[in-house]
């Protein structure tokens, strides 16, 4: 159990949250949600002990084993993959490594060495009674997609997505009593996320997780901790349960206040009409007293704001959209794309999916003619005006100008109001539009890129992982925007709720370079795949 007592957190004069009292129970899995900047990560770091400057108390029994998902993917570069996972149980890791060192260089005639070896053996038995740590670690690594022949390689040999998978294995291996996870689904493929959901559903201790993946939250959590109104409120149920309950509560508050406002108006009108009339003076005084006692509760504005993502094509599309002919591409001996032949009809909205490293971004870059395939051709229709959201926006959204200047640079002749409107739709107010581009966060850069796409008015949208760094409200708005858009879409994403919101065609790239082309929604695709029909 984790107990939070009278917790208040300030940044300067700003109160992030105040007087928080919570008991986080065993067998409950809490989804920590809230708008970007509301304080989710700060609260999680307080629970983890990474932040200590706050008022109040956080109490975790010392007997509880605590697991925290590491965020530094480069912290174990000189460790083997196997040792990195073993490090999740630091006591066992230290004992095993010291044992190995003593067996390599120890003097077994020395009683002190033998006594130390005996002590270390006790630790190993306590932490790993079956002596199967290597088998258990190997099983977890294979489940997250790290093959057995790589387990003794250094972490430095892995790409960033696979490093993060190893960190997931590291925090899950010791089976902690209390588990803290910050965005465990980031940059993970759908198969890994599904495996993680199954693992976490079996977690028997206390868990707090931050995620912007609605499907993941719905599948995993039993309770919601909502960071809003400078409070952290607990709801029973998953994300969808919270969403319904929160909207019902807000509506009830609104209706109650409307009823009170109406009663107040009627009382004030009565007092005005009869206060000067001697025969009605007593009644008027009584109504005034009632009026004085009537409290109209302020409905606090939520820290959440819903962006308005609206894509409108400036140009009508003809009969031809896009065709890929015999696309092949390799990196050295690794053939990632093999004989890709695809024709995209006007109006189709495609979800491009597949495991990490199968070539999704490569195919997107070939489509956008940012790179040339080893062989094959890309044919765009004559009437197509495409608009592109690349996976990495850091180099594109750069410079020392303001957000307004950066966006206007793409179309200097565009009406000023229209430019500001595109930024406003993505929740940049007038003051924020004058911020320097170099000072904005990753999430703000993604919102800027969406502002750019709305301004461009392309009739064929190509997006590579647009939901990274976006909060739940922005992801919902993006799904609605893509659904309502009347042109074509190709979107790479691991967010299943986003894909289900708009896609009517699914293309899955596979590790052997081949692909599956399925006409239908993502939900229909997943059902057919589960049945073994795909």
């Amino acid at each position: 159990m984790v107990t939070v007592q009278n917790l208040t957190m300030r940044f300067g004069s700003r109160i992030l949250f105040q007087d928080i009292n919570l008991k986080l129970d065993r067998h409950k899995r809490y989804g920590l949600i809230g708008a970007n900047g509301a304080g989710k990560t700060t609260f999680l770091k307080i629970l983890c002990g990474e932040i200590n400057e706050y008022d109040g108390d956080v109490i975790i029994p010392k007997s509880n084993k605590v697991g925290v998902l590491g965020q530094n993917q480069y912290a174990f570069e000189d460790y083997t993959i196997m040792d990195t996972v073993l490090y999740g149980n630091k006591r066992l890791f230290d004992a095993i490594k010291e044992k190995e060192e003593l067996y390599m260089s120890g003097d077994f005639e020395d009683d002190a060495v033998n006594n130390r070896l005996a002590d270390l053996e006790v630790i190993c038995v306590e932490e790993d009674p079956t002596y199967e740590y290597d088998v258990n670690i190997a099983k977890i690594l294979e489940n997250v997609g790290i093959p057995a022949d790589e387990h003794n390689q250094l972490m430095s040999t892995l790409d960033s997505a696979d490093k993060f998978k190893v960190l997931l294995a590291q925090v899950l291996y010791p089976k902690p009593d209390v588990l803290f996870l910050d965005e465990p689904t980031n940059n993970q493929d759908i198969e890994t996320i599904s495996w993680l959901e199954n693992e976490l559903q079996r977690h028997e201790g206390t868990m707090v997780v931050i995620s912007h993946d609605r499907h993941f939250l719905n599948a995993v959590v039993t309770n919601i901790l909502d960071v809003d109104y400078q409070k952290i409120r607990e709801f029973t149920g998953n994300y969808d349960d919270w969403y319904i309950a929160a909207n019902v509560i807000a509506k009830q508050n609104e209706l109650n206040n409307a009823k009170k406002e109406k009663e107040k108006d009627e009382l004030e009108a009565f007092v005005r009409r009869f206060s000067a009339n001697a025969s009605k003076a007593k009644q008027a005084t009584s109504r005034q007293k009632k009026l004085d006692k009537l409290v109209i509760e302020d409905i606090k504005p939520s820290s959440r704001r819903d962006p308005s993502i609206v894509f409108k094509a400036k140009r009508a599309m003809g009969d031809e959209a896009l065709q890929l002919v015999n696309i092949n591409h390799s990196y050295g001996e690794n053939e990632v794309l093999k004989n890709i032949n695809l024709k995209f009809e006007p109006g189709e909205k495609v979800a491009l999916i597949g495991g990490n490293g199968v070539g999704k971004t490569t195919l997107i870059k070939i489509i956008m003619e940012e790179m040339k395939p080893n062989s094959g051709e890309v044919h765009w229709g004559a009437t197509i005006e495409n608009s592109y959201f690349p996976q990495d926006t850091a180099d594109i959204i750069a410079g020392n100008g303001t957000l307004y200047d950066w966006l206007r640079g793409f179309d200097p002749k565009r009406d000023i109001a229209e430019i500001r409107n595109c930024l406003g739709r993505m929740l940049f107010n007038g003051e924020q539009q004058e911020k320097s581009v170099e000072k904005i966060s990753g999430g703000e850069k993604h919102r800027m890129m969406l502002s750019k796409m709305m301004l461009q008015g392309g009739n064929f949208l190509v997006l590579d992982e647009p939901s990274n760094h976006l909060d739940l409200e922005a992801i919902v708005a993006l799904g609605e925007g893509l659904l309502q858009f009347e042109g074509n879409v190709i979107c790479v994403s691991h967010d299943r709720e986003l894909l289900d919101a708009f896609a009517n065609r699914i293309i899955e790239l596979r590790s052997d370079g081949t692909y599956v082309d399925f006409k239908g929604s993502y939900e229909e695709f997943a059902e057919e795949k589960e049945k073994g029909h795909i």
Side-chain angles (χ1 to χ4, degrees):
M1 177 187 289
V2 179
T3 305
V4 180
Q5 296 177 338
N6 302 319
L7 178 66
T8 296
M9 182 67 193
R10 296 179 178 87
F11 283 119
S13 60
R14 181 192 172 205
I15 297 175
L16 204 57
F17 30 78
Q18 188 170 19
D19 297 329
I20 306 302
N21 290 280
L22 292 168
K23 284 188 177 181
L24 308 181
D25 297 324
R26 186 173 173 80
H27 302 301
K28 289 185 180 179
R29 303 183 296 273
Y30 298 86
L32 184 59
I33 66 170
N36 285 344
K40 301 186 299 294
T41 297
T42 298
F43 180 63
L44 194 65
K45 285 182 176 179
I46 289 172
L47 296 180
C48 296
E50 291 182 35
I51 292 177
N52 298 301
E53 296 180 359
Y54 55 85
D55 297 327
D57 295 295
V58 174
I59 302 166
I60 302 176
K62 290 184 178 179
S63 59
N64 283 359
K65 188 183 296 182
V66 177
V68 181
L69 176 62
Q71 295 296 315
N72 183 0
Q73 298 166 22
Y74 303 97
F76 297 91
E77 293 294 89
D78 297 328
Y79 289 69
T80 66
I81 295 169
M82 177 72 74
D83 280 351
T84 300
V85 179
L86 178 59
Y87 195 90
N89 186 333
K90 187 65 164 53
R91 187 168 183 252
L92 179 60
F93 175 90
D94 288 343
I96 288 173
K97 293 307 169 186
E98 189 177 345
K99 244 176 47 171
E100 289 175 354
E101 188 175 335
L102 287 174
Y103 278 122
M104 289 283 290
S105 59
D107 179 3
F108 299 113
E109 301 296 325
D110 186 342
D111 287 343
V113 171
N114 290 319
N115 289 338
R116 182 57 183 161
L117 282 170
D119 292 340
L120 293 171
E121 201 63 42
V122 170
I123 293 173
C124 290
V125 170
E126 288 175 349
E127 298 296 328
D128 183 32
T130 61
Y131 286 88
E132 291 185 331
Y133 77 87
D134 51 348
V135 175
N136 294 330
I137 289 173
K139 187 182 296 183
I140 295 174
L141 286 169
E142 289 176 24
N143 283 334
V144 297
I146 310 293
D149 59 2
E150 295 181 9
H151 293 178
N152 291 314
Q153 294 180 13
L154 293 178
M155 283 285 284
S156 57
T157 63
L158 298 179
D159 62 28
S160 59
D162 282 344
K163 289 182 203 292
F164 195 72
K165 288 180 181 180
V166 177
L167 294 184
L168 272 176
Q170 181 190 74
V171 73
L172 293 176
Y173 160 64
K175 296 183 179 179
D177 302 298
V178 180
L179 187 56
F180 298 125
L181 304 172
D182 190 356
E183 295 290 1
T185 61
N186 264 8
N187 299 315
Q188 298 304 316
D189 54 46
I190 291 172
E191 287 74 16
T192 303
I193 296 171
S194 295
W195 170 82
L196 180 61
E197 288 173 355
N198 292 329
E199 286 294 303
L200 296 181
Q201 285 166 358
R202 294 198 294 268
H203 180 70
E204 296 182 355
T206 305
M207 184 182 81
V208 181
V209 58
I210 297 173
S211 178
H212 291 152
D213 186 325
R214 287 170 294 158
H215 190 287
F216 174 80
L217 289 175
N218 283 330
V220 168
V221 306
T222 60
N223 297 69
I224 291 291
L225 299 176
D226 179 24
V227 185
D228 206 352
Y229 306 106
Q230 298 179 339
K231 297 290 183 183
I232 301 177
R233 299 180 297 172
E234 182 181 346
F235 290 81
T236 300
N238 61 21
Y239 179 81
D240 283 350
D241 296 329
W242 164 84
Y243 187 82
I244 293 168
N247 279 279
V248 167
I249 290 169
K251 191 65 178 175
Q252 284 176 339
N253 287 343
E254 188 179 328
L255 291 172
N256 287 340
N257 274 9
K259 185 178 179 181
K260 289 178 182 178
E261 287 282 5
K262 183 179 179 182
E263 186 178 353
K264 179 172 179 262
D265 290 343
E266 290 172 352
L267 289 170
E268 286 177 340
F270 183 90
V271 171
R272 281 195 304 271
R273 286 173 59 199
F274 297 110
S275 59
N277 187 327
S279 64
K280 299 286 187 180
K282 190 175 180 180
Q283 252 185 304
T285 302
S286 174
R287 296 290 176 95
Q288 182 64 57
K289 288 179 179 178
K290 187 175 181 181
L291 181 61
D292 292 339
K293 292 179 181 179
L294 189 63
V295 177
I296 307 296
E297 295 180 6
D298 290 331
I299 300 177
K300 293 182 181 179
S302 173
S303 59
R304 288 180 178 81
R305 293 181 296 160
D306 295 336
S308 174
I309 301 178
V310 180
F311 300 110
K312 290 185 178 179
K314 293 187 295 185
R315 182 178 184 180
M317 187 182 294
D319 295 333
E320 295 180 355
L322 173 66
Q323 187 167 6
L324 308 181
V325 182
N326 296 326
I327 299 293
N328 292 273
H329 197 76
S330 302
Y331 293 104
E333 296 181 0
N334 181 23
E335 190 175 22
V336 293
L337 301 175
K338 186 187 298 181
N339 298 326
I340 306 292
N341 287 278
L342 294 167
K343 186 174 183 181
F344 301 91
E345 301 292 345
E348 283 191 313
K349 296 175 182 176
V350 178
L352 181 60
I353 65 172
N356 288 333
V358 298
K360 300 185 298 295
T361 294
T362 297
L363 183 57
I364 290 294
K365 287 183 175 180
I366 289 171
I367 287 172
M368 295 307 299
E369 299 176 329
E370 284 196 345
M371 63 183 292
K372 289 186 177 181
N374 295 147
S375 63
E377 298 175 343
V378 176
H379 299 296
W380 286 99
T383 60
I384 296 301
E385 294 181 356
N386 59 51
S387 187
Y388 179 37
F389 189 118
Q391 187 175 119
D392 186 4
T393 60
D395 294 334
I396 297 171
I397 303 178
N400 54 12
T402 67
L403 305 192
Y404 170 79
D405 292 334
W406 182 86
L407 190 58
R408 192 183 184 197
F410 290 95
D411 194 348
K413 295 181 180 179
R414 188 66 69 92
D415 184 72
I416 292 173
E418 196 170 353
I419 294 171
R420 293 202 178 276
N421 184 46
C422 286
L423 288 168
R425 285 183 178 277
M426 292 312 301
L427 307 181
F428 295 108
N429 61 32
E431 183 180 344
Q432 291 170 331
Q433 292 177 18
E434 302 304 321
K435 284 173 63 173
S436 173
V437 168
E438 62 184 0
K439 293 182 179 179
I440 63 176
S441 66
E444 288 172 322
K445 287 187 175 183
H446 271 46
R447 285 158 49 202
M448 283 290 293
M449 190 59 68
L450 290 170
S451 296
K452 172 179 172 285
M453 294 182 78
M454 286 190 282
L455 183 70
Q456 286 176 320
N459 54 23
F460 199 123
L461 309 182
V462 181
L463 307 97
D464 191 359
E465 295 288 4
S467 60
N468 285 353
H469 305 296
L470 295 181
D471 59 23
L472 282 159
E473 287 71 33
I475 294 171
V476 170
L478 176 58
E480 291 174 352
L482 295 177
L483 176 65
Q484 299 300 325
F485 178 57
E486 295 183 355
N488 277 61
V489 175
I490 297 177
C491 179
V492 176
S493 179
H494 299 309
D495 190 308
R496 290 155 291 179
E497 295 283 346
L498 174 62
L499 300 180
D500 238 353
F502 75 90
N504 54 28
R505 181 179 177 184
I506 312 297
I507 296 173
E508 181 184 43
L509 301 186
R510 295 188 164 171
S511 57
D512 60 359
T514 61
Y515 62 95
V516 173
D517 188 358
F518 178 84
K519 300 289 179 71
S521 69
Y522 177 77
E523 185 177 357
E524 292 168 337
F525 169 83
E527 288 175 358
E528 291 299 303
K529 191 171 184 179
E530 190 174 345
K531 293 175 184 175
H533 296 165
I534 297 176

